Amino acid sequence: MRDKTLFNYFGRSIKRLVMASFVFVLLLPIMFFLHSLFQNSWHQVEQKMLEKHQLISEALVEPLTLFVTTRQQSLQTIGQELTKLSNEVAVVLGKEDKRARIQYILDTHQKSFGNFVALSYSSTPHSELSCISTAPPKQPGSNKPDYSHLKLTGLPAAANGIEGQDAMSPVFASSISGKPVVLIQHKILNQHSIVDGMLYAEISLEHIASICSKIDFGGRGHCAVVDNIGQVVAHPSPDWVDEVKDLSKLSIVQKMLAGQSGTAEFYSPALKTDMVAGFSAIPKLGWGVMIPQSKAELTEMLDHFRLNTLIWLAFGVLVALLMAGFLTRKITRPINRLIRRTNLSAHSNNTMSIGRAPDDTPSEIKQLWSSFSNLLTGLQQSNREIKRLNLSLQEEIEIATTELRQANKDLYKTSTQDYLTSLSNRRHFTDHLEAILEVNTGHRVGIIIIDMDNFKQVNDLYGHETGDIAIKHLATILKDCVRNVDLAARLGGDEFVVYINDATDQEVTAIAEKIRQSVQESPLHLSGLSLSLTLSIGTVNQTNEGGLSLQTLLSQADKAMYRAKTSGRNKIVSHPDKETSPEKPKQPQTA
């Protein structure tokens, strides 16, 4: 009975029936649309942004690992030099002289290597630090650094290192600089793998902070790095960095410390807002890196779009109600006019423009006509704005990606080149040759090892700066003498190595002779000094028929070079024994 009464109420009035039907048909799909808009859109936007954040965090894992690994290699280089010193002067020098030599080595490398706040040495793991080098230099009478309270965690072995040789501390405030650092401990092992000393390095974290500072998007999007116990390594908040803020209670940090990677939502006490982030664990360091962004920023654009949609929907409902009221009053004429214009449009293949509304068109139809035109203009403007925003976001992403790629290139260049000569370093040379020995089976592999004669006397007589100039001079000659298919590298000190690709024994010897002769005929002309240099060279050239070892080749070439030195210097000795001796060079003369 109630349903019948309701039907009679709307059915007796065309106005009510048309308006009720129009509103029902209009509102039903609108409700479905609004439900989809408010539910699905946010999840889609959130998922896409989090995937981008996680990709950025994963891309930072390798540079951060490489940052620590290169410092391990630097300490390994210093440790090798201290081991060599210990073997050479154990009998000749007294305790104080040896300590002075160690201090000199630490001071030299502390200035050469970047990011070292302090370098320290002790003779045993539990003894007091006997040699300390800092930047700025430590003042006499100031307290020595104390690392006994730090809990160290083992690091994976660096290239050519030994497992368990290195360990690293969590972040702590340096007693030297007062800024956050991490401590890397390096065990100096003798030839019997017995600990012969301990090397400690305080590593500045400013380079990591510089990398993270380049990742900045939106109002609150940033990069943060934590250590293996959840303390801040890098963060946009300077106060948190200076006080070494403990973030281990955050759920996302706990996931990273557990070795997990992914995306998460959490509350940031620093920004006092809900955040969404992509995060990745750094397995080799036990650290974690995350790329968080305010959840409010992600929803701001969507909320703006929702608001505009609701406004247009409200406007559409209003227009629909006006049209329904007009149809109830003038239903016959508008319908007939619509039929005629539809028929005309069908016969003209829909190419006829609707043009202006006829003069006898009711004002409501004219208003709808104008409203449709305005609506189209507004939609076009909205579309242009969306395209502009998308283009701007794409440009920002491309800029950030370009900067990250450049940073990766710089890090790769640092890890593969010798800092003094710009030649390949030992690690890059070793990796390159091992790859060749695995692939180029059947090709000839030539190795030339070069050692500068009397280089120690050059350093002692003219200073290390002249020694560095001599090393650069030799590196320049090597670049000119080797072929494009060959590879020259500096092994360390005044020792160089050249890989000769698929050449005969005569060609290898010819290249070695060209290097030796070029150095002999190109003395260094310094202020008031003409310094003649000579080389002792060892070569080996073998066919790679499978099972050929790089260490064997280097050992054979090194032994041949040693025979060249012991048999008079300034000559080339090939393996097996084959000697090439030049004329005796002139001694250094003052101009």
Side-chain angles (χ1 to χ4, degrees):
M1 184 68 180
R2 184 176 181 181
D3 292 342
K4 186 176 180 180
T5 303
L6 188 61
F7 176 79
N8 289 336
Y9 175 80
F10 287 104
R12 290 178 181 178
S13 171
I14 294 178
K15 178 179 180 180
R16 294 171 184 171
L17 181 61
V18 172
M19 291 184 66
S21 301
F22 205 95
V23 169
F24 177 80
V25 172
L26 180 65
L27 290 182
L28 186 61
I30 287 176
M31 296 303 296
F32 284 110
F33 175 77
L34 291 177
H35 176 76
S36 176
L37 177 67
F38 281 86
Q39 294 298 322
N40 298 330
S41 298
W42 159 244
H43 295 298
Q44 293 173 358
V45 171
E46 181 184 35
Q47 187 61 32
K48 290 181 180 179
M49 294 301 292
L50 287 178
E51 288 175 358
K52 182 196 73 172
H53 291 180
Q54 186 180 6
L55 286 175
I56 296 176
S57 69
E58 290 176 352
L60 288 174
V61 170
E62 184 63 24
L64 295 177
T65 302
L66 186 60
F67 173 81
V68 175
T69 302
T70 54
R71 274 63 192 174
Q72 287 181 256
Q73 293 172 348
S74 298
L75 289 179
Q76 185 175 337
T77 300
I78 300 173
Q80 292 171 351
E81 189 169 343
L82 292 176
T83 300
K84 182 178 179 182
L85 171 66
S86 179
N87 294 335
E88 291 179 352
V89 306
V91 179
V92 180
L93 297 181
K95 183 177 180 181
E96 289 302 319
D97 291 335
K98 180 179 178 181
R99 181 182 177 279
R101 290 289 298 275
I102 293 175
Q103 183 67 49
Y104 174 77
I105 291 174
L106 294 184
D107 290 340
T108 300
H109 287 290
Q110 201 281 331
K111 296 176 182 178
S112 300
F113 295 136
N115 303 109
F116 280 6
V117 176
L119 276 174
S120 307
Y121 169 84
S122 66
S123 57
T124 64
H126 304 291
S127 63
E128 187 180 60
L129 300 179
S130 58
C131 296
I132 303 171
S133 178
T134 64
K138 181 174 173 290
Q139 297 299 320
S142 60
N143 294 329
K144 295 182 178 180
D146 182 12
Y147 304 134
S148 60
H149 66 286
L150 297 177
K151 183 177 181 181
L152 304 180
T153 304
L155 289 173
N160 299 323
I162 300 175
E163 195 69 30
Q165 192 174 12
D166 296 329
M168 184 171 66
S169 74
V171 179
F172 66 97
S174 170
S175 62
I176 304 299
S177 65
K179 296 182 178 180
V181 295
V182 293
L183 179 75
I184 296 182
Q185 178 198 69
H186 177 77
K187 297 178 181 178
I188 303 174
L189 306 179
N190 61 19
Q191 58 185 355
H192 303 294
S193 298
I194 298 175
V195 177
D196 195 33
M198 304 296 292
L199 196 59
Y200 301 90
E202 291 186 16
I203 310 299
S204 171
L205 303 176
E206 292 180 354
H207 184 68
I208 295 179
S210 175
I211 294 176
C212 291
S213 66
K214 297 177 181 178
I215 303 176
D216 183 14
F217 47 89
R220 296 182 174 182
H222 61 274
C223 168
V225 182
V226 296
D227 64 12
N228 60 332
I229 61 172
Q231 297 180 146
V232 168
V233 176
H235 194 276
S237 171
D239 294 337
W240 280 27
V241 174
D242 292 339
E243 70 182 63
V244 191
K245 185 72 173 181
D246 184 3
L247 303 180
S248 60
K249 294 184 179 180
L250 293 181
S251 60
I252 189 172
V253 175
Q254 293 173 358
K255 291 179 180 179
M256 290 190 291
L257 297 184
Q260 300 179 22
S261 298
T263 60
E265 181 176 337
F266 66 99
Y267 178 78
S268 170
L271 302 178
K272 298 181 179 180
T273 185
D274 290 327
M275 307 289 286
V276 289
F279 63 93
S280 296
I282 307 177
K284 293 184 179 180
L285 308 182
W287 291 6
V289 56
M290 57 181 171
I291 309 296
Q293 186 175 12
S294 171
K295 186 176 181 179
E297 290 181 359
L298 296 181
T299 57
E300 183 178 353
M301 184 181 299
L302 183 59
D303 289 340
H304 181 69
F305 173 73
R306 287 172 175 172
L307 178 61
N308 286 341
T309 302
L310 291 175
I311 292 174
W312 284 113
L313 288 175
F315 180 76
V317 171
L318 178 61
V319 171
L321 291 175
L322 293 175
M323 182 179 290
F326 171 75
L327 289 175
T328 59
R329 294 190 300 269
K330 304 237 179 185
I331 193 167
T332 304
R333 286 178 59 192
I335 290 177
N336 291 335
R337 182 170 295 173
L338 178 60
I339 292 173
R340 289 195 299 271
R341 287 193 172 271
T342 302
N343 290 334
L344 290 173
S345 177
H347 288 97
S348 61
N349 296 323
N350 297 317
T351 59
M352 187 183 75
S353 173
I354 61 174
R356 292 181 55 190
D359 294 338
D360 60 345
T361 300
S363 60
E364 292 83 357
I365 297 294
K366 290 183 177 180
Q367 182 180 357
L368 179 62
W369 206 298
S370 176
S371 298
F372 180 81
S373 178
N374 292 336
L375 175 62
L376 181 60
T377 301
L379 289 175
Q380 291 173 342
Q381 292 176 348
S382 298
N383 187 43
R384 286 194 295 270
E385 180 64 15
I386 291 174
K387 289 182 178 179
R388 186 190 66 80
L389 292 175
N390 287 337
L391 181 61
S392 176
L393 179 59
Q394 182 179 358
E395 290 176 350
E396 292 178 0
I397 293 175
E398 289 177 354
I399 291 174
T401 302
T402 300
E403 292 177 348
L404 183 58
R405 287 175 178 170
Q406 184 60 44
N408 287 337
K409 289 181 180 178
D410 293 342
L411 287 173
Y412 176 77
K413 181 178 179 181
T414 301
S415 68
T416 58
Q417 283 191 356
D418 177 63
Y419 72 97
L420 181 62
T421 64
S422 296
L423 295 176
S424 294
N425 58 21
R426 178 187 290 270
R427 177 187 176 188
H428 182 245
F429 181 84
T430 301
D431 293 344
H432 183 72
L433 261 292
E434 287 179 346
I436 288 175
L437 291 176
E438 290 179 2
V439 177
N440 290 346
T441 301
H443 290 186
R444 294 188 66 81
V445 178
I447 300 294
I448 300 175
I449 288 198
I450 303 165
D451 192 86
M452 196 178 297
D453 295 332
N454 301 315
F455 181 71
K456 184 176 183 303
Q457 295 181 10
V458 173
N459 278 335
D460 294 342
L461 292 175
Y462 307 110
H464 286 278
E465 183 176 356
T466 300
D468 288 346
I469 294 174
I471 289 175
K472 292 179 181 179
H473 178 65
L474 174 53
T476 301
I477 292 176
L478 284 179
K479 293 175 184 177
D480 294 335
C481 292
V482 300
R483 305 169 303 175
N484 292 334
V485 295
D486 303 330
L487 178 65
R490 182 188 178 200
L491 294 178
D494 62 327
E495 190 173 11
F496 293 79
V497 64
V498 180
Y499 158 64
I500 305 300
N501 179 46
D502 200 19
T504 64
D505 293 345
Q506 292 78 10
E507 289 173 331
V508 173
T509 302
I511 293 174
E513 175 59 24
K514 182 179 179 181
I515 295 171
R516 188 206 62 75
Q517 188 174 3
S518 297
V519 171
Q520 180 178 334
E521 295 176 354
S522 303
L524 280 178
H525 296 290
L526 306 174
S527 56
L529 175 68
S530 177
L531 182 61
S532 297
L533 303 175
T534 61
L535 305 176
S536 292
I537 300 177
T539 70
V540 62
N541 190 35
Q542 295 189 20
T543 301
N544 181 18
E545 297 177 346
L548 189 59
S549 167
L550 174 59
Q551 295 301 324
T552 300
L553 291 174
L554 291 176
S555 176
Q556 292 172 349
D558 190 66
K559 290 177 180 178
M561 182 274 291
Y562 181 75
R563 289 194 295 272
K565 272 196 175 296
T566 57
S567 61
R569 296 187 176 90
N570 191 26
K571 62 177 60 178
I572 301 168
V573 174
S574 300
H575 177 87
D577 290 349
K578 184 177 179 183
E579 182 177 313
T580 302
S581 301
E583 294 181 0
K584 194 170 183 179
K586 297 180 180 180
Q587 296 298 319
Q589 299 177 356
T590 56

